[in-house]
Amino acid sequence: MSADESVNPSSEMGQNSKDNSEEVRLTRLLNLYREWIGATTHELRGPLSSAAMALNTVMQRSDLPDAVTSSLRTAERSVAEMSDLVQDMFDIIKLELGAFELSLTPNVSVYEIFEGITEEFASQKEVLSFRSVPDRSIVATLDEDRIRQVIRNLVSNAVKYTQRGKQATIAISMRRFDNHYFEIAVDDAPNGLGMSSTDLYSLNSHEPFWRSPSAKEIATGTGLGVQLSRSLVERSGGSLTYESEFGKGTKATIKLPYISEPSVR
C-alpha cells in the first residue's frame, strides 16, 4: 500500500464519532416525536368522548325529525371513527415506547363481544348482509377491550373495502380450535375487495402502515389498524393471519389462547 492509499486512523475515528452522534440525535428526535404523538392523542380523547356522549344524549329524544336523526347518526359515526383512529395512534405509540400493558379479565364471555359488534355494524347502509355464528360457550381470560378493538378493526375494514358498487357481505364466526386455543374469523366474501398474492405477501411482511394500491383507490386510511391488530393479538399470545383473493374477498383469522399470557415483543 502506498503512502497515498494509507488510512488515517484519526480520520476514521472522527467519522465514526460523527455517525454515532447523528444516530443519537435522530433517536432522540424520534423518541420526542413519539412522546408528542402520545400526549396529543391523549388530549384528543377527552373532547371526542364528550362529543360522543352529547350526541348520544340528544339522540335519545323521540321528537326529532327524521332528517335531524339521520344527520346525528352520521355525526355519531364520524366521531366514533375519529375516536378509533386516535385510540389506535395512542396504542401504537405506547407499544413502540414499551409502555403498553394488557388488562386481563377472567371468564369473559366472548360471545357478548360478538353481540355488540353485530348490533353496531349490521344496520349500516353500507352492509348488505351480516352473519354472526359464534360458539356461545367459549369463555376466556383476555383483555376484553383490546380484543373488541381488534374485531372492530377487522369488521370496519370489511365494510370499507368492498368491490366498486357493491355493499359489504360479512360473516364473523368463532369456534374451538383445540384444548388451548379458539379462533375468531371475519370473512367478507363474496363482495370484499380482496388482495392479490403480491399484496398478501406485503401485508404479511409486517411493513408498518402498509396499504394495498387497490385499497387506496377505494377508501382513505392510515394502515394503523392492521399493524395494531396484529400487535395486540400477538401480545395476547395469539396470531392473526389472512387468506385473500382479489375480487372475491378476504378472511382474517384470529387465534387466541383461552388464558392469555402477555408476551413482550
Side-chain angles (χ1 to χ4, degrees):
M1 181 180 292
S2 67
D4 290 339
E5 293 174 324
S6 62
V7 177
N8 186 332
S10 62
S11 175
E12 270 195 350
M13 290 177 64
Q15 182 63 44
N16 289 339
S17 177
K18 181 179 179 181
D19 290 345
N20 290 338
S21 177
E22 181 67 10
E23 184 178 346
V24 169
R25 187 183 73 84
L26 291 174
T27 299
R28 180 173 177 274
L29 286 174
L30 181 58
N31 286 334
L32 287 173
Y33 172 74
R34 287 169 172 165
E35 290 173 2
W36 178 81
I37 291 291
T40 302
T41 53
H42 179 74
E43 291 299 318
L44 285 171
R45 290 193 302 171
L48 286 169
S49 179
S50 297
M53 287 190 291
L55 283 167
N56 183 262
T57 299
V58 174
M59 289 182 66
Q60 301 304 313
R61 293 178 51 177
S62 59
D63 59 341
L64 296 173
D66 290 343
V68 173
T69 300
S70 177
S71 296
L72 287 172
R73 283 177 179 162
T74 300
E76 187 178 44
R77 188 177 305 173
S78 296
V79 170
E81 290 174 354
M82 181 60 70
S83 297
D84 288 345
L85 175 59
V86 169
Q87 183 65 54
D88 287 354
M89 292 173 64
F90 186 65
D91 288 340
I92 283 288
I93 294 299
K94 287 201 297 182
L95 282 164
E96 290 188 353
L97 293 175
F100 184 90
E101 292 184 5
L102 293 174
S103 179
L104 300 180
T105 302
N107 302 318
V108 173
S109 174
V110 188
Y111 166 72
E112 293 181 3
I113 299 177
F114 269 60
E115 274 196 317
I117 291 173
T118 300
E119 290 176 5
E120 178 181 356
F121 286 95
S123 61
Q124 293 186 11
K125 63 181 180 180
E126 297 89 352
V127 176
L128 176 64
S129 64
F130 195 109
R131 187 164 56 94
S132 176
V133 188
D135 181 334
R136 301 187 180 209
S137 68
I138 293 179
V139 175
T141 296
L142 45 74
D143 188 324
E144 185 174 356
D145 290 338
R146 297 313 184 191
I147 298 306
R148 179 184 292 107
Q149 184 178 359
V150 170
I151 300 173
R152 285 192 74 259
N153 270 330
L154 296 176
V155 173
S156 178
N157 282 343
V159 172
K160 184 186 296 185
Y161 299 112
T162 58
Q163 298 164 42
R164 290 188 183 279
K166 294 186 178 181
Q167 293 172 287
T169 48
I170 301 169
I172 59 174
S173 60
M174 178 171 59
R175 71 181 184 93
R176 295 180 182 274
F177 181 77
D178 57 25
N179 291 334
H180 303 287
Y181 292 89
F182 66 97
E183 285 187 342
I184 298 169
V186 178
D187 193 340
D188 63 11
N191 289 358
L193 179 62
M195 292 177 282
S196 66
S197 57
T198 301
D199 288 341
L200 191 58
Y201 177 83
S202 297
L203 174 66
N204 291 326
S205 70
H206 292 216
E207 179 183 342
F209 315 122
W210 180 86
R211 298 180 70 227
S212 71
S214 54
K216 292 176 181 178
E217 293 177 3
I218 294 294
T220 58
T222 62
L224 277 174
V226 171
Q227 181 184 1
L228 178 61
S229 294
R230 179 180 281 122
S231 295
L232 291 176
V233 171
E234 290 178 350
R235 282 295 181 102
S236 301
S239 63
L240 174 58
T241 57
Y242 296 88
E243 303 168 59
S244 189
E245 185 175 349
F246 185 73
K248 292 189 176 180
T250 299
K251 180 180 179 181
T253 303
I254 306 165
K255 182 189 287 187
L256 288 168
Y258 293 109
I259 300 178
S260 293
E261 295 181 359
S263 59
V264 178
R265 297 178 184 270

